[in-house]
Amino acid sequence: MALKMVKGSIDRMFDKNLQDLVRGIRNHKEDEAKYISQCIDEIKQELKQDNIAVKANAVCKLTYLQMLGYDISWAAFNIIEVMSASKFTFKRIGYLAASQCFHEGTDVIMLTTNQIRKDLSSPNQYDTGVALTGLSCFVTPDLARDLANDIMTLMSHTKPYIRKKAVLIMYKVFLKYPESLRPAFPRLKEKLEDPDPGVQSAAVNVICELARRNPKNYLSLAPLFFKLMTSSTNNWVLIKIIKLFGALTPLEPRLGKKLIEPLTNLIHSTSAMSLLYECVNTVIAVLISLSSGMPNHSASIQLCVQKLRILIEDSDQNLKYLGLLAMSKILKTHPKSVQSHKDLILQCLDDKDESIRLRALDLLYGMVSKKNLMEIVKKLMIHVDKAEGTTYRDELLTKIIDICSQSNYQYITNFEWYISILVELTRLEGTRHGHLIAAQMLDVAIRVKAIRKFAVSQMAMLLDNAHLIASNTQRNGICEVLYAAAWICGEFSEHLEESNQTLEAMLRPKVTTLPGHIQAVYVQNMVKLYASILQQKEQSGEKEAAQEITQLMVDRLPQFVQSADLEVQERASCILQLIKYIQKLQIKEVPVAEEVIALFAGELNPVAPKAQKKVPVPEGLDLDAWINAPPSDSESEDEKPKTIFHDEEQRHSRHRQPEIDEEELARRREVRKQEQANNPFYIKSSPSPQKQYQDTPGVEHIPVVQIDLSVPLKVPGMPMSDQYVKLEEERRHKQKLEKDKKKKKQKKEKKGKHRRHNSLHTESDEDIAPAQHVDIITEEMPENALPSDEDDKDPNDPYKALDIDLDKPLADSEKLPVQRHRNAENLKSPDTEAPLVGKKSKKPKKKEKKHKEKEREKEKKKEKEKKVTEEGKKGEDLDFWLSTAPPPSSITQTQSEPEGSTVLAEPEENEDAKKEEQEEDNDEGKKSSKHRKKKHKKEKEEKSKDKKKSKKKHHHSEEEPAESVQNGTLDDEPLPPMSSYCLLAENSYVKMTYDIQGNLQNDSQVTVSVIFENKSASFLKSMELNVLDSLNAKMLRPEGSSVHDGIPVPFQLPPGISNEAQFVFTLQSIVMAQKLKGTLSFIVKNDEGSTHEKLDFKLHFSCASYLITTPCYSDAFAKLLESGDLHMSSIKVDGISISFQHLLAKICFYHHFSVVERVDSCASMYSRSIQGHHVCLLVKKGENSVSVDGKCNDSTLLSNLLDEMKETLSKC
Amino acid sequence: MGLGGSCAGWLMQAPCWLGGDFSLSEDTQQQIIRETFHLVSKRDENVCNFLEGGLLIGGSDNKLIYRHYATLYFVFCVDSSESELGILDLIQVFVETLDKCFENVCELDLIFHVDKVHNILAEMVMGGMVLETNMNEIVTQIDAQNKLEKSETFIFQSPRQDR
């Protein structure tokens, strides 16, 4: 009966396949999570079955669940089981699941090495294919190292299907194991000329991908690719190659010259838009690389621009987008040719597609000139008004500012116009870019002296209307402009016309609703304003007015003193005291204005952002030398005298300044002016007007255009920048007329000598004189500023590791690790391992000879070179190949490039290697086919590159088949399922299992992952986990909570569901195992109500949980053992029945070790603790026993580890 | 890494991740799907098929390239080493291949046979790089594998029927 039930349930479970699961999920839309958790439970049952078909079906369903976002990493081991099934159907399911959910952190992944190796050499091509596909997704550095040689062999497989996959996956292998690149490269290169187009395409793909990251190493392949480009008809391959050339040309301009013609031909001939587009792109790259050296390529540029225009005008949005994208590249070097298409690009701004509008905006940035800036910005302003959605509008705003401010406001002819544009932009609601506008206002006001008066009047208006800007909370971003407005009005208060009104505006109660940093600026600047008003009044003798203004300050300042913002409060109270003091003096009728204004004397100069860094060290100053006698060693450890000294000096200079008396100041000012006059880096065209001397000519020389300012001032918020456009046109017209007059005069004088020149000379950028006398003060730089630092390259770039010289001959240390029988004989005699090396090592000598010969022949060659290439001989070296370019430049270049000769010999060298390889391949091919006929099992094994050796090996293995057990295994018996999770505690409601993992980032932390499983039919919530900390081990609690607080589990559990939470513990010492007592408290909720429950547990931190599986190479391992600072200890366990391989797998899995080397029934293993202890093991298997010798930095840790291991082993 | 993130193709109601080159946690994966779907689905029919990289899909070098077929969106995430128009062609090849392998493919086919979709994609894109673009070649390989599978299915199903 029971049996029947079991059988029935098996059948039912088996019946639910992927389709049923999908249908079920679709039918349970409301309680999807619950349904899926049921399914997962079923799957777990299925995975426990022995039937592989049931398991495969379960894994198939899991893969689907993974796609829905469920974590299935717990089934990793089952996935491996399915991967190792003999049937392709199951294998494919297994590999698919693995490719979806395995990643570098998956710890069971190391168990797959041998399975994958087996599948790679399977006689069924689809087994191999599926393994390659899977591996491409989850290859780790370890797998890459172990399998590189196998995959390399597959690159010469008889079936193109395998070849192309093997070629493609090599890229992944290179990334994970860069050492494999050089040994594998010759074969990869050979595949560029594979008869099968798929393989060829794969090889092109891989090399292009490699070359994209480190182009210079692949220059020598240019002739080969050039040949491919002219011969291939596969558009995919062509596109890739053309893209590659785009990456190579910047390194070798001569290559570009050679490319232009075939590329232009392709552009004319191809019908494929994708190819056309890439051709245009590469031509652009070529033109960019040539832009300096070559005189005339206008035809090519014209062709490109013309083709791009066709793309942009196309109704297909994709082409339009790409056309704009490519256009922006031309723009960088040939802006003129793009500018003529301004109409088209402005049109694109109206496109309904945001991507296209953004591209068009990018283009506009480069297209502006003095002439069209106003017009373009006007257009953009219209778009700003129309734009829906804040993102695009913000983008427009930043673009407007970018366009106007680019290269030091180069294109702005009228700064009044620009200020009004900025003011107009403040009307934008809800923009994030208030600070950008503010920064521009400040920058312009500070650096363009002539504009200050106008700027101040505009800013005063802004302050007056601050309520409009700051009223709406949504407009918060824009209120940043008030920061700038307040500062400008304060700093340049001498230009203010109605200072009283502005001061009143700044003292309004509304101001206190502004953000703190803005209020602070308000407070500081109202004093500046106050000071200037005071001076005015005193000078004109209006004592009462002066007292009134002081009273106003005294009345209103207290509202800021109450501010919650510290900065505001501090400044306000300080200033309030000062003003009260002034009031006292005023009552005594003492003139104070001069002294007050002295508080803000001196001018602020803009300083370049990096100026401080670039101050050169004066000659004779040694910053590292001691100024005083160095303090004794004991104290100096922690001090950094240099920085302290530095800081202090800065502080001093700042603090002292206000104390210096007027005379001294004046004197210094004179000195500085002198210095500035002699300083080539300090550009200024007029003497800077000092504040105290308002009557200096600084103001007079502002030739402000006569505009009726009353209009914009009185109607705040009305667009007014437009009128500048008109005015500007008029002004320019006038200018032109004047110039024409002058010209006429000149003409009369010179009698038509320059007539032609003049008539051609239409209004160009240079002719437009700016409206104001614009003295844009460049940012100050220290004298003799140091050249700018190079941008550091990202040290974490994963592709950096692949920056490898591919043309050097292979060294013997670089061979790919080949899996071989670890016969004692082999290990002892390294000589037999490297006959190949011997062969290779002869080469350099040969090469040297050749090199000398070449030098001698160089002269001759130069004469011959043209002929030779015309004869179609394969270019022997890059220089030679490239030198068919136009003769005048080629001669100079070949001579001027000494590194050319290093490139010289390589292609030949590579060819030699290739031939050799081919021979080998042939041999291997023959051999393997022979073997296949004999149906030798050994065929699946590794073929060594060395012929002799592989022969020998085969003999060996034929004679002694029993010896063929290798690292890992060839025996088919699968590993038993293992789980690192062990039971923590359990009651009728909940079951907790846990696993402890060391934390790589922190040497004193471990992460405990606890799986909570709800066993009841009730809902579990408010779970809280708490442990009693010991002296050594503590649970990491969120900041602010006490040691007695528990940590809430971040989820609730519906019935039957399990979920995992992680807790971090800190440990001081890790040499001993730890036990922590703890409690889980939770609320059980069901129909009858809810009850509070508790579950006690003991958390056991074994020493093994402090270990992190770390791979170790055998040579490093040997060094470690030799070093002699390790303690030693050993154990022996009797009565072991399981196989050695299983035993090792267990040690790897449960104790976090990795196998370094394995010879027969003896293996060396390695691991590292989170605190960096090295642990080395030597595991030997006797008949019924296992002995483990261990070495470790810490003897306590070692003995504890061995004890734990003893326990595990004795269970076997 | 040709296709930086490779491919996520999906359906209006049941978005699904079709694998890719990065190993991502399930949560990030779902988040990317949601955000991409959000981005793509609100785009009009008449706009270009490229979306510039957000932060989620790995920075500015990456682009989303998609095609829209009735209720289906096929979205590829690629880096700058791939030709944009080429990828659009590739999606077309993918869809046509699906059509051939399923004989008039419809949304439900893809929903119920995600594994098969995976297998087809695996013949075109491998580890984030384009493997094969020739449709006939892809279909030949898929057919051969299905045949192999069928011969095996016959063997392993028969004992069960005996039971």
Side-chain angles (χ1 to χ4, degrees):
Chain A
M1 186 66 187
L3 194 70
K4 230 179 190 177
M5 264 173 63
V6 170
K7 216 172 142 190
S9 73
I10 289 173
D11 275 343
R12 203 191 61 236
M13 282 190 295
F14 187 62
D15 276 342
K16 192 182 236 171
N17 59 14
L18 177 61
Q19 280 74 43
D20 300 324
L21 176 73
V22 177
R23 198 167 297 126
I25 292 174
R26 286 164 70 85
N27 290 338
H28 289 79
K29 277 267 147 62
E30 275 82 56
D31 50 349
E32 193 182 289
K34 192 181 155 200
Y35 178 77
I36 288 180
S37 76
Q38 270 171 18
C39 290
I40 290 181
D41 282 348
E42 282 172 19
I43 289 170
K44 279 183 180 161
Q45 288 303 315
E46 288 171 26
L47 288 175
K48 283 178 191 159
Q49 308 279 321
D50 279 335
N51 188 339
I52 191 71
V54 179
K55 270 187 190 166
N57 185 48
V59 167
C60 183
K61 288 190 279 183
L62 279 179
T63 312
Y64 181 75
L65 293 179
Q66 197 271 347
M67 280 191 292
L68 297 184
Y70 290 84
D71 175 34
I72 62 160
S73 55
W74 51 268
F77 196 79
N78 302 104
I79 292 172
I80 294 181
E81 281 181 307
V82 176
M83 276 162 72
S84 53
S86 55
K87 287 199 174 69
F88 171 73
T89 319
F90 305 142
K91 200 179 279 297
R92 179 152 79 166
I93 292 172
Y95 272 104
L96 175 60
S99 64
Q100 290 287 91
C101 83
F102 281 13
H103 48 86
E104 245 167 73
T106 310
D107 44 6
V108 289
I109 218 166
M110 62 185 177
L111 299 176
T112 60
T113 318
N114 282 292
Q115 181 57 44
I116 296 173
R117 179 172 286 141
K118 216 174 108 192
D119 288 334
L120 289 183
S121 52
S122 160
N124 179 352
Q125 63 164 333
Y126 292 112
D127 282 352
T128 313
V130 103
L132 284 172
T133 308
L135 186 62
S136 72
C137 294
F138 58 78
V139 60
T140 62
D142 284 343
L143 282 176
R145 190 191 62 230
D146 295 340
L147 296 173
N149 198 53
D150 304 54
I151 298 170
M152 204 163 107
T153 319
L154 290 179
M155 283 165 75
S156 319
H157 199 272
T158 47
K159 296 235 169 62
Y161 179 74
I162 300 299
R163 281 210 302 275
K164 75 178 177 197
K165 287 197 170 192
V167 167
L168 207 56
I169 202 181
M170 275 322 269
Y171 179 63
K172 288 304 180 69
V173 174
F174 296 152
L175 276 185
K176 300 286 175 184
Y177 179 54
E179 290 87 340
S180 61
L181 178 57
R182 284 182 26 83
F185 194 71
R187 193 170 296 187
L188 182 62
K189 200 175 139 194
E190 185 186 307
K191 293 295 147 206
L192 285 175
E193 294 177 296
D194 196 279
D196 183 83
V199 182
Q200 199 187 33
S201 158
V204 169
N205 221 332
V206 171
I207 293 187
C208 288
E209 203 59 46
L210 289 168
R212 193 165 73 98
R213 309 291 181 176
N214 301 297
K216 66 173 190 309
N217 300 336
Y218 299 85
L219 262 180
S220 60
L221 288 182
L224 189 55
F225 276 115
F226 192 82
K227 203 180 105 198
L228 276 179
M229 184 177 83
T230 41
S231 61
S232 176
T233 51
N234 180 343
N235 278 355
W236 272 95
V237 171
L238 280 175
I239 287 176
K240 281 279 170 190
I241 294 176
I242 288 167
K243 264 184 171 281
L244 172 68
F245 276 133
L248 291 182
T249 41
L251 301 167
E252 180 54 89
R254 287 175 292 165
L255 178 62
K257 279 179 221 156
K258 217 175 156 69
L259 283 173
I260 287 254
E261 200 198 322
L263 284 179
T264 338
N265 289 344
L266 264 178
I267 291 178
H268 281 299
S269 64
T270 185
S271 59
M273 274 299 181
S274 46
L275 186 56
L276 171 84
Y277 174 68
E278 295 305 338
C279 285
V280 170
N281 249 333
T282 299
V283 171
I284 294 169
V286 168
L287 293 175
I288 290 173
S289 72
L290 291 179
S291 59
S292 51
M294 283 298 282
N296 217 341
H297 270 295
S298 54
S300 312
I301 297 168
Q302 278 313 313
L303 179 68
C304 287
V305 175
Q306 190 192 329
K307 288 281 173 189
L308 288 179
R309 186 171 176 116
I310 295 173
L311 289 185
I312 296 174
E313 280 171 338
D314 200 290
S315 59
D316 185 343
Q317 297 280 350
N318 294 327
L319 298 182
K320 189 173 280 202
Y321 173 86
L322 294 175
L324 290 169
L325 199 65
M327 205 66 123
S328 66
K329 287 178 195 157
I330 302 190
L331 190 71
K332 279 173 205 143
T333 48
H334 301 87
K336 288 246 166 72
S337 34
V338 182
Q339 269 165 14
S340 53
H341 300 283
K342 197 181 75 192
D343 55 318
L344 192 64
I345 287 150
L346 283 175
Q347 238 174 27
C348 290
L349 278 185
D350 295 319
D351 202 283
K352 58 181 173 300
D353 186 352
E354 194 174 300
S355 310
I356 288 180
R357 289 198 304 251
L358 289 175
R359 287 273 137 252
L361 268 182
D362 276 352
L363 272 175
L364 277 182
Y365 177 81
M367 287 179 54
V368 290
S369 62
K370 282 183 181 169
K371 208 166 88 186
N372 62 17
L373 175 72
M374 284 187 170
E375 183 195 338
I376 287 179
V377 172
K378 185 180 164 191
K379 258 226 133 159
L380 291 180
M381 291 300 283
I382 294 170
H383 281 282
V384 170
D385 286 338
K386 282 196 296 189
E388 301 149 14
T390 50
T391 17
Y392 178 60
R393 209 187 48 188
D394 280 356
E395 189 64 31
L396 274 169
L397 191 153
T398 43
K399 267 287 149 10
I400 291 177
I401 290 182
D402 278 356
I403 286 176
C404 293
S405 64
Q406 66 177 311
S407 38
N408 229 350
Y409 306 102
Q410 188 191 349
Y411 300 114
I412 295 185
T413 50
N414 188 334
F415 275 93
E416 286 186 14
W417 164 82
Y418 186 45
I419 294 270
S420 4
I421 287 284
L422 289 176
V423 172
E424 267 176 53
L425 285 175
T426 62
R427 287 180 295 122
L428 286 186
E429 272 185 58
T431 179
R432 294 179 290 119
H433 293 305
H435 62 278
L436 255 181
I437 305 176
Q440 284 291 297
M441 288 172 167
L442 286 172
D443 200 39
V444 171
I446 295 171
R447 294 174 58 190
V448 187
K449 284 188 179 150
I451 201 66
R452 281 182 192 164
K453 190 175 168 69
F454 179 75
V456 165
S457 69
Q458 293 289 299
M459 294 304 119
M461 185 194 83
L462 269 185
L463 287 180
D464 212 24
N465 294 301
H467 56 281
L468 288 178
I469 292 169
S471 64
N472 200 333
T473 42
Q474 273 189 338
R475 290 177 161 196
N476 244 341
I478 203 68
C479 67
E480 289 290 325
V481 298
L482 292 177
Y483 178 101
W487 190 87
I488 292 172
C489 284
E491 185 66 20
F492 307 118
S493 50
E494 69 268 22
H495 299 295
L496 258 183
E497 276 164 15
E498 291 178 74
S499 343
N500 279 19
Q501 200 186 332
T502 309
L503 185 63
E504 290 246 14
M506 287 172 87
L507 283 166
R508 278 183 206 142
K510 255 282 185 192
V511 173
T512 51
T513 59
L514 290 172
H517 67 284
I518 298 178
Q519 283 187 56
V521 169
Y522 262 71
V523 171
Q524 189 71 18
N525 282 286
M526 63 181 68
V527 193
K528 294 183 194 167
L529 203 52
Y530 165 77
S532 86
I533 296 174
L534 202 64
Q535 197 189 31
Q536 266 175 35
K537 303 289 177 200
E538 254 180 36
Q539 273 171 359
S540 57
E542 303 170 65
K543 275 182 197 158
E544 274 186 20
Q547 281 180 4
E548 256 171 47
I549 206 87
T550 312
Q551 189 58 44
L552 180 76
M553 289 290 274
V554 173
D555 288 346
R556 297 282 183 85
L557 269 175
Q559 62 184 343
F560 294 105
V561 176
Q562 291 158 9
S563 170
D565 190 284
L566 205 65
E567 182 78 19
V568 180
Q569 201 187 65
E570 193 178 5
R571 288 189 192 202
S573 37
C574 208
I575 284 160
L576 185 61
Q577 287 313 307
L578 180 76
I579 305 255
K580 278 182 179 163
Y581 181 68
I582 293 171
Q583 201 172 24
K584 269 187 205 163
L585 292 177
Q586 274 183 328
I587 294 169
K588 289 180 192 162
E589 303 209 341
V590 182
V592 284
E594 283 300 328
E595 278 168 57
V596 177
I597 209 132
L599 280 176
F600 307 106
E603 185 169 5
L604 288 168
N605 286 320
V607 175
K610 283 182 186 166
Q612 182 67 48
K613 221 164 93 188
K614 298 196 172 172
V615 177
V617 181
E619 223 174 299
L621 174 63
D622 182 4
L623 286 176
D624 296 327
W626 289 101
I627 294 171
N628 302 313
S632 59
D633 281 354
S634 55
E635 305 167 31
S636 66
E637 283 298 332
D638 306 358
E639 282 183 273
K640 293 174 196 159
K642 213 169 109 185
T643 48
I644 287 171
F645 170 71
H646 204 73
D647 274 351
E648 231 147 60
E649 196 187 53
Q650 274 187 337
R651 228 176 286 145
H652 276 310
S653 59
R654 259 185 216 158
H655 281 234
R656 267 181 213 156
Q657 229 161 16
E659 297 162 17
I660 298 163
D661 63 323
E662 201 72 344
E663 267 182 38
E664 173 72 7
L665 261 181
R667 194 183 59 77
R668 286 195 181 180
R669 217 171 286 127
E670 273 310 308
V671 172
R672 201 176 64 207
K673 270 185 199 168
Q674 282 287 316
E675 268 175 16
Q676 283 168 0
N678 299 329
N679 187 349
F681 294 95
Y682 194 86
I683 303 167
K684 51 195 315 197
S685 51
S686 70
S688 61
Q690 297 299 330
K691 272 196 175 169
Q692 292 97 319
Y693 317 110
Q694 287 184 22
D695 44 354
T696 49
V699 194
E700 285 174 4
H701 76 262
I702 309 174
V704 180
V705 191
Q706 290 307 308
I707 311 163
D708 188 6
L709 283 180
S710 61
V711 180
L713 281 178
K714 279 180 186 164
V715 189
M718 209 198 86
M720 48 190 182
S721 56
D722 285 2
Q723 55 192 156
Y724 287 99
V725 181
K726 260 189 219 160
L727 280 168
E728 186 67 15
E729 271 166 20
E730 281 169 25
R731 193 179 64 82
R732 283 180 195 173
H733 187 68
K734 258 189 223 165
Q735 259 182 9
K736 212 180 156 193
L737 285 179
E738 272 173 36
K739 261 196 188 151
D740 282 352
K741 267 185 211 165
K742 271 187 197 166
K743 276 178 198 162
K744 271 177 200 163
K745 272 184 200 166
Q746 280 179 349
K747 260 188 215 166
K748 274 177 194 168
E749 284 165 17
K750 297 198 174 177
K751 285 261 168 182
K753 211 178 177 183
H754 290 270
R755 190 184 291 157
R756 199 201 272 162
H757 176 78
N758 279 335
S759 58
L760 278 176
H761 204 95
T762 51
E763 188 188 22
S764 73
D765 270 8
E766 293 73 35
D767 283 344
I768 305 170
Q772 287 94 355
H773 182 93
V774 187
D775 45 346
I776 301 168
I777 308 168
T778 44
E779 292 158 329
E780 270 184 19
M781 273 291 198
E783 240 173 300
N784 318 322
L786 301 168
S788 63
D789 314 325
E790 292 246 351
D791 290 331
D792 294 332
K793 280 186 182 169
D794 182 10
N796 297 326
D797 185 6
Y799 306 103
K800 219 176 165 185
L802 285 180
D803 190 357
I804 296 169
D805 185 1
L806 292 163
D807 300 325
K808 270 195 308 198
L810 278 176
D812 48 340
S813 57
E814 286 186 297
K815 280 198 302 174
L816 288 177
V818 179
Q819 197 201 21
R820 56 170 72 85
H821 300 278
R822 295 186 196 282
N823 297 341
E825 201 186 320
N826 263 357
L827 285 174
K828 274 173 201 163
S829 54
D831 295 4
T832 53
E833 277 186 40
L836 178 82
V837 176
K839 226 187 272 170
K840 290 248 166 181
S841 59
K842 279 178 203 160
K843 269 188 186 160
K845 283 180 199 165
K846 225 195 214 168
K847 193 185 158 192
E848 269 176 24
K849 258 189 199 168
K850 261 185 206 161
H851 191 79
K852 277 178 196 165
E853 280 172 273
K854 278 228 167 107
E855 297 236 270
R856 257 177 261 146
E857 280 172 8
K858 233 183 176 176
E859 301 279 323
K860 285 183 202 167
K861 258 191 190 169
K862 253 180 219 162
E863 294 161 13
K864 279 188 194 168
E865 56 191 12
K866 260 196 171 175
K867 271 188 204 168
V868 179
T869 32
E870 272 163 16
E871 279 165 23
K873 277 194 185 173
K874 197 172 170 188
E876 279 195 327
D877 64 67
L878 187 64
D879 270 347
F880 189 62
W881 178 73
L882 286 168
S883 56
T884 49
S889 55
S890 73
I891 292 170
T892 51
Q893 266 163 349
T894 34
Q895 279 170 345
S896 67
E897 272 184 42
E899 87 268 18
S901 52
T902 50
V903 188
L904 215 74
E906 280 127 21
E908 258 194 20
E909 164 70 30
N910 276 337
E911 256 173 51
D912 282 3
K914 208 197 291 172
K915 271 179 206 159
E916 248 178 56
E917 292 263 350
Q918 263 169 350
E919 278 170 24
E920 275 172 34
D921 288 353
N922 289 346
D923 260 29
E924 265 175 55
K926 276 179 210 161
K927 205 179 295 157
S928 60
S929 62
K930 234 191 259 169
H931 276 275
R932 199 171 296 127
K933 277 177 205 160
K934 288 184 189 171
K935 294 205 170 166
H936 253 300
K937 203 179 169 188
K938 296 292 135 351
E939 181 215 328
K940 289 177 190 169
E941 282 167 25
E942 269 319 301
K943 290 162 211 153
S944 160
K945 264 170 100 186
D946 179 14
K947 305 173 220 169
K948 286 178 194 168
K949 219 204 125 211
S950 67
K951 266 183 200 163
K952 223 186 208 171
K953 193 172 84 178
H954 282 287
H955 283 306
H956 260 290
S957 42
E958 272 165 11
E959 284 161 17
E960 309 161 286
E963 292 267 319
S964 70
V965 183
Q966 300 173 5
N967 185 9
T969 184
L970 278 181
D971 37 359
D972 279 327
E973 145 192 32
L975 288 167
M978 291 188 270
S979 166
S980 56
Y981 284 87
C982 43
L983 185 70
L984 183 57
E986 186 172 16
N987 64 10
S988 55
Y989 296 108
V990 65
K991 181 180 172 185
M992 296 196 284
T993 48
Y994 77 108
D995 178 36
I996 304 176
Q997 297 273 335
N999 187 339
L1000 268 176
Q1001 273 81 44
N1002 195 321
D1003 60 9
S1004 59
Q1005 286 189 354
V1006 291
T1007 308
V1008 179
S1009 314
V1010 185
I1011 298 179
F1012 299 89
E1013 186 184 345
N1014 186 349
K1015 292 166 61 190
S1016 67
S1018 326
F1019 202 85
L1020 301 187
K1021 54 185 226 174
S1022 308
M1023 288 188 283
E1024 203 175 87
L1025 187 113
N1026 199 2
V1027 295
L1028 218 60
D1029 290 349
S1030 74
L1031 273 178
N1032 190 26
K1034 295 183 169 58
M1035 182 155 78
L1036 205 67
R1037 296 176 166 86
E1039 257 177 73
S1041 50
S1042 83
V1043 277
H1044 306 296
D1045 290 343
I1047 292 187
V1049 178
F1051 47 77
Q1052 305 183 336
L1053 284 180
I1057 302 285
S1058 58
N1059 204 340
E1060 182 170 327
Q1062 294 191 323
F1063 305 91
V1064 179
F1065 286 78
T1066 52
L1067 297 148
Q1068 303 218 311
S1069 156
I1070 59 156
V1071 298
M1072 299 241 269
Q1074 305 275 331
K1075 263 189 186 152
L1076 289 183
K1077 276 187 190 170
T1079 317
L1080 176 80
S1081 59
F1082 52 94
I1083 293 172
V1084 180
K1085 197 181 172 192
N1086 50 26
D1087 299 339
E1088 291 131 41
S1090 48
T1091 50
H1092 213 99
E1093 296 288 341
K1094 270 186 179 175
L1095 175 60
D1096 290 334
F1097 59 81
K1098 262 187 194 166
L1099 198 54
H1100 180 77
F1101 294 88
S1102 65
C1103 281
S1105 57
Y1106 308 138
L1107 296 184
I1108 295 170
T1109 315
T1110 320
C1112 181
Y1113 298 107
S1114 48
D1115 44 346
F1117 188 78
K1119 252 183 212 162
L1120 199 62
L1121 288 181
E1122 281 165 14
S1123 69
D1125 25 281
L1126 302 181
H1127 302 271
M1128 189 176 153
S1129 174
S1130 51
I1131 52 162
K1132 190 169 179 184
V1133 186
D1134 290 323
I1136 302 281
S1137 52
I1138 63 167
S1139 74
F1140 189 51
Q1141 177 229 347
H1142 284 186
L1143 190 115
L1144 290 184
K1146 280 202 166 175
I1147 297 178
C1148 286
F1149 191 77
Y1150 290 115
H1151 297 272
H1152 305 163
F1153 274 87
S1154 62
V1155 178
V1156 178
E1157 203 166 11
R1158 181 181 158 190
V1159 181
D1160 297 334
S1161 55
C1162 185
S1164 50
M1165 307 180 88
Y1166 175 79
S1167 186
R1168 222 170 68 100
S1169 80
I1170 50 174
Q1171 294 184 350
H1173 301 105
H1174 301 285
V1175 190
C1176 309
L1177 295 184
L1178 185 64
V1179 186
K1180 277 181 269 183
K1181 187 171 174 4
E1183 270 188 26
N1184 261 326
S1185 66
V1186 171
S1187 67
V1188 181
D1189 296 325
K1191 280 192 170 187
C1192 172
N1193 309 52
D1194 191 296
S1195 56
T1196 329
L1197 178 64
L1198 181 63
S1199 66
N1200 283 324
L1201 277 171
L1202 288 180
D1203 287 348
E1204 284 169 16
M1205 213 167 288
K1206 199 168 182 176
E1207 205 174 319
T1208 319
L1209 293 178
S1210 56
K1211 281 182 200 157
C1212 298
Chain B
M1 217 154 314
L3 313 184
S6 197
C7 168
W10 64 92
L11 326 161
M12 278 295 224
Q13 293 103 23
C16 85
W17 179 262
L18 285 183
D21 177 53
F22 10 59
S23 43
L24 293 165
S25 76
E26 282 76 12
D27 286 342
T28 342
Q29 203 166 296
Q30 289 299 310
Q31 202 189 345
I32 292 179
I33 290 184
R34 266 194 307 273
E35 291 202 11
T36 315
F37 181 70
H38 180 73
L39 278 175
V40 169
S41 62
K42 73 175 181 202
R43 287 175 69 84
D44 286 337
E45 200 50 35
N46 271 330
V47 299
C48 74
N49 298 354
F50 315 119
L51 271 170
E52 264 159 72
L55 285 176
L56 254 186
I57 53 168
S60 58
D61 196 34
N62 291 355
K63 272 199 189 87
L64 292 179
I65 298 178
Y66 72 96
R67 259 179 190 266
H68 185 192
Y69 297 89
T71 55
L72 291 169
Y73 284 97
F74 291 86
V75 184
F76 278 53
C77 171
V78 302
D79 65 21
S80 63
S81 74
E82 296 296 331
S83 147
E84 291 88 346
L85 296 171
I87 295 297
L88 283 178
D89 287 348
L90 185 73
I91 300 179
Q92 183 66 30
V93 171
F94 183 38
V95 173
E96 282 177 29
T97 314
L98 287 176
D99 200 48
K100 274 205 176 169
C101 293
F102 282 105
E103 286 155 15
N104 274 329
V105 69
C106 71
E107 190 183 324
L108 286 180
D109 285 331
L110 303 189
I111 293 179
F112 284 107
H113 300 278
V114 186
D115 50 342
K116 287 185 185 154
V117 179
H118 264 296
N119 294 334
I120 293 169
L121 188 66
E123 293 299 321
M124 299 179 61
V125 178
M126 194 174 110
M129 292 198 286
V130 180
L131 176 68
E132 184 60 68
T133 50
N134 180 345
M135 188 165 56
N136 293 330
E137 169 71 15
I138 299 167
V139 174
T140 318
Q141 299 299 350
I142 291 284
D143 283 349
Q145 288 177 43
N146 289 343
K147 218 182 254 174
L148 178 63
E149 202 166 57
K150 241 174 216 163
S151 68
E152 286 179 352
T153 319
F154 180 71
I155 302 167
F156 93 77
Q157 265 187 354
S158 41
R160 197 164 81 89
Q161 281 158 358
D162 290 346
R163 245 197 303 184

